Amino acid sequence: MASSVLPLASASPSSASRSSLENNKKKLNLGSNSLSFDLDKNHPFAKAKSFSRISMVASVNVSRFEGITMAPPDPILGVSEAFKADTHGNKLNLGVGAYRTEELQPYVLDVVKKVESLMLERGDNKEYLPIEGLAAFNKATAELLFGANNPVIKQQRVATIQGLSGTGSLRLAAALIERYFPGAKVLISSPTWGNHKNIFNDARVPWSEYRYYDPKTVGLDFEGMISDIKAAPEGSFVLLHGCAHNPTGIDPTPEQWEKIADVIQEKNHIPFFDVAYQGFASGSLDADAASVRLFAARGLELLVAQSYSKNLGLYAERIGAINVVCTSADAATRVKSQLKRLARPMYSNPPVHGARIVANIVGDPALFNEWKAEMEMMAGRIKNVRQKLYDSLCVKDKSGKDWSFILKQIGMFSFTGLSKVQSDNMTDKWHVYMTKDGRISLAGLSLAKCEYLADAIIDSFHNVR
Ligand code: PLA
């Protein structure tokens, strides 16, 4: 029976289910044979064709999923799939931000291998973690972010829970906003990491953009940013990239961060940091956390999502955290309890392996130093290819174009300024895989490939309009 497959479309609802059906009717038009979704246009089902209950009953060969249309490939992770399918010898994957060695191979940090063998020797068990994650990890991650002696830590004003890497931590924070700040808007930079919009859409949190990138100067549109943050409704959440802004690679200066904090404070906004690259951008954990610490030092309440995908190369372990800094320890305890309540029905409790890796490395001074050295090495390799790419562009491009913006960008990405058609040319003609916004991941580039990439960029820039 169709009704057993689609309980919402039951022809004769029991009185117990009637009231919830009434509620559902607000969202679903159940009055006819066709079940049409009245969801906002950003919802993935919004583009699904309506489908008939009758035809499902009559024709056994028609899939119940007939109404589900093909989703487009992800603009970032989809690039890796296309790359894999290409057989060309010179192909380069500069799409996803994943660190590669000079030989363009994935890299597992030596310190990670070392700590994993210690963990194996110890025979740690695989029991469930508590909902909030591994206590030693939560302590270590908050201390890495704020500094162990930060008053927010000393006064126990931070609610920290382990998340499913940066993405899962952002998603949990979005769920908290949706539940406890209904209608509050999140301001995101234009442009931003593509998944930010998906995260807030899926959590049903309204968002709008603030100006950030100025294509004319290939730099920060600071005036635009400040005036858009000022113009937003009081009490909005302002999403900021802690360091190494993705995709532009352009960060505010320390003086500009102070001014951003001024407006946020004036407008009673809540800063919400995405810290996906701590230590990976500059090579220093402290330098890359300076923006977050500046806001915390002002006594502001703030949210910070963290990720260990890049700085520890733990991409697939899905290890990160969400931290909520509150004005009192009491508020932090309550916020933490609600974060746990949100996590429990979503994924119950987080995975243990990555949390143990982080906790064991940070908790052991020798291993911690090894990690810092490897992080510096990775950040250094990226800086070297950035320089070599710039040098190659200057030598090869005879047009006089100023490529120095590449050297001003920070982190693993370069925002080349190439348009969509030019980016298509990079892929179709040169087999250089990148996102269509003109972003390239320098972490996927080797010194040996810089000249080839420079040829591809120069051709695409000058010959494709
Ligand atoms: N926040 C920002 C700003 C990011 O760039 C990324 C990853 C994340 C959060 C989430 O990473 P995590 O869930 O693995 O911790 N951005 C990548 C990968 C590197 C991706 O899109 O998922 C990127 O290529 O942009």
Side-chain angles (χ1 to χ4, degrees):
M1 285 289 290
S3 60
S4 66
V5 177
L6 286 169
L8 287 177
S10 164
S12 54
S14 69
S15 59
S17 66
R18 202 165 289 138
S19 70
S20 79
L21 247 181
E22 285 305 315
N23 286 337
N24 283 324
K25 267 193 173 184
K26 287 180 195 145
K27 291 183 208 134
L28 304 171
N29 171 13
L30 302 175
S32 70
N33 286 335
S34 77
L35 181 64
S36 69
F37 290 83
D38 181 22
L39 301 169
D40 69 57
K41 67 178 185 339
N42 295 315
H43 195 283
F45 283 179
K47 293 194 180 81
K49 289 177 211 147
S50 64
F51 50 96
S52 158
R53 188 151 50 106
I54 287 186
S55 66
M56 280 192 288
V57 175
S59 158
V60 281
N61 287 331
V62 174
S63 167
R64 314 296 162 87
F65 305 106
E66 205 53 46
I68 296 181
T69 54
M70 194 64 190
D74 183 81
I76 298 176
L77 299 184
V79 172
S80 300
E81 290 168 31
F83 172 79
K84 271 186 207 140
D86 188 333
T87 52
H88 198 273
N90 275 337
K91 69 175 180 173
L92 258 183
N93 187 3
L94 309 183
V96 68
Y99 184 83
R100 295 284 179 269
T101 62
E102 177 61 26
E103 293 69 42
L104 297 183
Q105 293 307 308
Y107 178 61
V108 180
L109 275 71
D110 289 337
V111 70
V112 168
K113 286 188 207 155
K114 198 182 268 187
V115 88
E116 278 181 321
S117 69
L118 286 173
M119 283 157 56
L120 200 61
E121 262 172 46
R122 261 202 326 246
D124 290 335
N125 68 47
K126 302 286 186 192
E127 290 285 294
Y128 288 133
L129 283 181
I131 304 171
E132 71 264 38
L134 188 72
F137 166 78
N138 287 343
K139 182 174 182 303
T141 198
E143 290 182 359
L144 271 186
L145 181 62
F146 297 105
N149 292 320
N150 197 307
V152 299
I153 302 273
K154 294 273 173 221
Q155 296 158 9
Q156 301 184 310
R157 290 197 282 116
V158 193
T160 302
I161 92 161
Q162 187 185 326
L164 303 180
S165 209
T167 307
S169 304
L170 289 162
R171 182 65 180 79
L172 208 51
L176 186 80
I177 294 171
E178 193 270 338
R179 185 161 297 181
Y180 292 101
F181 299 84
K185 206 152 85 161
V186 175
L187 302 184
I188 59 179
S189 61
S190 173
T192 192
W193 177 48
N195 214 19
H196 281 148
K197 293 179 183 175
N198 297 333
I199 289 169
F200 295 116
N201 284 342
D202 275 11
R204 312 210 155 228
V205 171
W207 52 266
S208 65
E209 295 181 310
Y210 59 83
R211 278 168 281 173
Y212 193 84
Y213 174 72
D214 183 353
K216 285 197 289 300
T217 61
V218 203
L220 180 63
D221 179 359
F222 186 62
E223 298 309 317
M225 176 181 188
I226 291 290
S227 72
D228 290 347
I229 294 175
K230 256 191 198 159
E234 187 136 329
S236 296
F237 289 81
V238 184
L239 189 76
L240 301 158
H241 298 222
C243 64
H245 182 272
N246 179 3
T248 65
I250 300 159
D251 284 354
T253 62
E255 297 72 35
Q256 287 172 330
W257 275 121
E258 293 283 359
K259 293 205 174 106
I260 294 164
D262 287 345
V263 227
I264 287 183
Q265 219 164 349
E266 250 169 59
K267 289 287 309 207
N268 233 352
H269 293 327
I270 303 174
F272 179 178
F273 278 94
D274 181 355
V275 176
Y277 302 98
Q278 190 185 352
F280 195 73
S282 70
S284 155
L285 285 163
D286 291 327
D288 290 348
S291 57
V292 169
R293 292 179 190 176
L294 177 157
F295 278 68
R298 289 182 174 225
L300 293 174
E301 300 199 293
L302 60 145
L303 281 72
V304 191
Q306 288 173 281
S307 163
Y308 290 91
S309 291
K310 271 67 70 171
N311 55 11
L312 252 179
L314 294 178
Y315 308 90
E317 297 296 351
R318 312 309 296 144
I319 178 67
I322 179 72
N323 303 266
V324 184
V325 178
C326 307
T327 48
S328 70
D330 185 48
T333 307
R334 284 181 278 113
V335 167
K336 186 167 177 172
S337 74
Q338 293 296 345
L339 286 170
K340 286 164 65 176
R341 191 183 185 188
L342 289 162
R344 171 67 168 145
M346 272 203 239
Y347 57 84
S348 194
N349 49 70
V352 73
H353 191 71
R356 277 195 188 125
I357 293 174
V358 176
N360 286 325
I361 290 174
V362 178
D364 179 304
L367 294 175
F368 192 27
N369 284 334
E370 277 184 46
W371 175 32
K372 287 196 248 182
E374 281 191 276
M375 206 152 36
E376 261 177 58
M377 180 278 289
M378 291 190 289
R381 198 190 83 74
I382 294 171
K383 283 181 198 161
N384 288 344
V385 287
R386 190 182 281 285
Q387 182 68 49
K388 175 89 190 277
L389 174 63
Y390 167 75
D391 293 343
S392 307
L393 284 165
C394 291
V395 169
K396 286 169 174 278
D397 184 16
K398 307 291 180 216
S399 76
K401 179 178 163 56
D402 180 7
W403 295 98
S404 64
F405 66 89
I406 289 179
L407 294 182
K408 294 187 193 126
Q409 298 166 345
I410 295 158
M412 76 199 307
F413 298 114
S414 179
F415 208 46
T416 59
L418 292 173
S419 66
K420 184 182 173 303
V421 276
Q422 291 167 339
S423 302
D424 283 340
N425 185 66
M426 295 283 287
T427 307
D428 299 344
K429 178 167 168 191
W430 294 87
H431 305 269
V432 174
Y433 288 79
M434 59 189 283
T435 53
K436 300 299 172 203
D437 56 1
R439 183 191 89 169
I440 53 175
S441 166
L442 298 177
L445 180 63
S446 59
L447 290 171
K449 294 278 187 182
C450 283
E451 293 199 5
Y452 178 80
L453 180 63
D455 286 334
I457 293 175
I458 292 165
D459 172 54
S460 305
F461 187 80
H462 292 299
N463 303 329
V464 180
R465 287 288 155 197

